[in-house]
Amino acid sequence: DAGITQSPRHKVTETGTPVTLRCHQTENHRYMYWYRQDPGHGLRLIHYSYGVKDTDKGEVSDGYSVSRSKTEDFLLTLESATSSQTSVYFCAISDGLTDTQYFGPGTRLTVL
Amino acid sequence: GQQVMQIPQYQHVQEGEDFTTYCNSSTTLSNIQWYKQRPGGHPVFLIQLVKSGEVKKQKRLTFQFGEAKKNSSLHITATQTTDVGTYFCAGTRLKAAGNKLTFGGGTRVLVKP
């Protein structure tokens, strides 16, 4: 497996609180992605980054923001968590030479 | 926007039998990839198909990319319990920015011993 870690791996929080998820890679890959996975919806792209400080929205970006200040770290922030954001969040990386993406272990987030 | 559909959503297979899962895109794809996710795990890359009509094999798994580059299939022969998991196809649109993939909803495979 590619060198990708996600933290925390599990989190329970309350509606209205801010939450930040971290993705860390040791592969020096250019592209990083945040997905959410929900039953019946597969993997849906939230935001992605194509370089340090270069990010763009995916198909389900409302309620989420991202930052990438270093190549190795990509942060996903829920400014004010809602119950609809209860999900499993996966980070993925790609070197850009192919379209292949390598996924982290995931973070299970529960918003009560 | 681009949509990628997979059928069936669930596949119950008797151990030793064959099955096929299908992937269809609303738009022409640059390439298609397949991923496998074991229960409780993360998606793992299996293979990428790039050429129209391409066929690739990995042991008991056969992957095809349609002539029009809008559909793909995964055929598994002699299913084993190790094949349990969800199989996702994911396509890249032509000239897609950011190497973005659009994932299908997945086919969840359950194997009956």
Side-chain angles (χ1 to χ4, degrees):
Chain A
D1 285 343
I4 312 169
T5 57
Q6 292 184 232
S7 58
R9 294 292 313 280
H10 302 270
K11 186 171 182 66
V12 179
T13 191
E14 294 186 348
T15 298
T17 59
V19 176
T20 296
L21 308 183
R22 180 183 184 232
C23 177
H24 178 78
Q25 59 143 331
T26 58
E27 305 296 323
N28 200 35
H29 282 358
R30 176 184 176 189
Y31 294 93
M32 298 185 76
Y33 309 84
W34 277 108
Y35 293 90
R36 61 177 290 173
Q37 185 174 38
D38 305 289
H41 290 279
L43 291 151
R44 293 182 291 175
L45 183 66
I46 304 171
H47 282 281
Y48 68 100
S49 170
Y50 46 97
V52 173
K53 298 185 179 179
D54 292 323
T55 65
D56 205 350
K57 296 179 179 180
E59 63 178 304
V60 290
S61 59
D62 288 348
Y64 302 93
S65 63
V66 289
S67 66
R68 192 171 177 197
S69 59
K70 298 184 292 184
T71 299
E72 56 266 35
D73 290 324
F74 193 32
L75 304 180
L76 177 70
T77 297
L78 292 65
E79 300 290 347
S80 178
T82 67
S83 58
S84 65
Q85 293 175 312
T86 292
S87 187
V88 179
Y89 292 85
F90 286 101
C91 173
I93 64 174
S94 173
D95 60 10
L97 299 177
T98 71
D99 296 324
T100 302
Q101 294 186 12
Y102 301 93
F103 285 79
T107 294
R108 183 173 295 275
L109 176 67
T110 302
V111 184
L112 301 176
Chain B
Q2 179 189 13
Q3 290 188 338
V4 177
M5 307 296 292
Q6 276 186 258
I7 54 171
Q9 188 174 357
Y10 296 94
Q11 182 78 55
H12 296 255
V13 190
Q14 191 72 43
E15 190 173 15
E17 291 184 343
D18 304 350
F19 76 91
T20 303
T21 177
Y22 300 91
C23 176
N24 296 288
S25 170
S26 59
T27 60
T28 302
L29 300 171
S30 172
N31 62 72
I32 197 153
Q33 300 178 30
W34 286 87
Y35 292 77
K36 177 182 179 181
Q37 183 178 22
R38 296 184 183 276
H42 59 276
V44 175
F45 172 76
L46 292 177
I47 206 161
Q48 178 174 273
L49 304 170
V50 179
K51 299 176 183 177
S52 171
E54 188 171 12
V55 177
K56 287 188 176 181
K57 291 189 176 183
Q58 286 182 350
K59 297 182 179 179
R60 296 178 295 102
L61 278 61
T62 301
F63 303 84
Q64 288 189 309
F65 199 9
E67 294 290 341
K69 301 185 76 172
K70 294 180 72 173
N71 56 73
S72 181
S73 65
L74 160 59
H75 180 79
I76 300 182
T77 59
T79 304
Q80 300 177 359
T81 55
T82 54
D83 296 322
V84 165
T86 302
Y87 293 82
F88 293 97
C89 64
T92 303
R93 274 189 313 164
L94 295 174
K95 300 180 182 179
N99 287 17
K100 289 186 294 184
L101 293 174
T102 300
F103 281 81
T107 294
R108 184 175 175 186
V109 175
L110 304 168
V111 180
K112 294 177 284 187

